[in-house]
Amino acid sequence: QVQLVESGGGLVQPGGSLRLSCSASTFSLEYYAIGWFHQAPGKEREGISCIHSSDGSTTYADSVKGRFTISRDNVKNTVYLQMNGLDPEDTAVYYCATDWHVDCTGSYYEPSSMHAWGQGTLVTVSS
């Protein structure tokens, strides 16, 4: 059974914004590092951002740095990805995942290291 659920995807024009949400069905997200990944058509899945549980610090791939912001709301048991300045190259299925660790490590840019995933939410950037 899928342990994480993503939502918030849809169709947006270039330069527009979306906020994606990641929630858990059976556990509290606040105790774990959570990563966001995307997979564009014909390409491999890759990590783009992560938020630590221990101190709330964040990391970003160069491709999204300055445009995307990851955050969490522990009351709502939700991790967000605010996506601004969207480009057609951002078109992809977006996933959240965790490897059950407290801190983000290099493994959060390696999808094979993750243990729990959601079903993904599709983001389409087109005019």
Side-chain angles (χ1 to χ4, degrees):
Q1 185 176 353
V2 176
Q3 295 179 282
L4 295 164
V5 178
E6 304 92 341
S7 62
L11 176 64
V12 64
Q13 294 184 338
S17 298
L18 285 173
R19 188 178 71 166
L20 307 183
S21 298
C22 173
S23 60
S25 59
T26 59
F27 66 96
S28 296
L29 294 177
E30 68 176 304
Y31 302 115
Y32 305 100
I34 303 296
W36 281 99
F37 300 76
H38 70 183
Q39 186 167 16
K43 297 184 178 180
E44 298 294 314
R45 191 174 302 185
E46 62 180 0
I48 56 173
S49 186
C50 186
I51 184 166
H52 296 64
S53 174
S54 58
D55 62 4
S57 61
T58 59
T59 63
Y60 300 92
D62 289 341
S63 62
V64 306
K65 192 174 299 180
R67 298 189 298 126
F68 293 5
T69 303
I70 189 171
S71 62
R72 62 166 84 230
D73 184 332
N74 291 332
V75 173
K76 296 181 179 180
N77 197 32
T78 301
V79 172
Y80 301 101
L81 185 68
Q82 179 67 47
M83 309 166 69
N84 298 327
L86 285 164
D87 186 274
E89 293 185 354
D90 295 316
T91 295
V93 177
Y94 285 74
Y95 303 87
C96 58
T98 184
D99 66 356
W100 306 116
H101 292 166
V102 172
D103 293 328
C104 303
T105 68
S107 66
Y108 274 85
Y109 293 96
E110 300 176 358
S112 63
S113 297
M114 302 297 104
H115 298 298
W117 293 89
Q119 83 289 349
T121 185
L122 176 63
V123 173
T124 302
V125 184
S126 177
S127 60

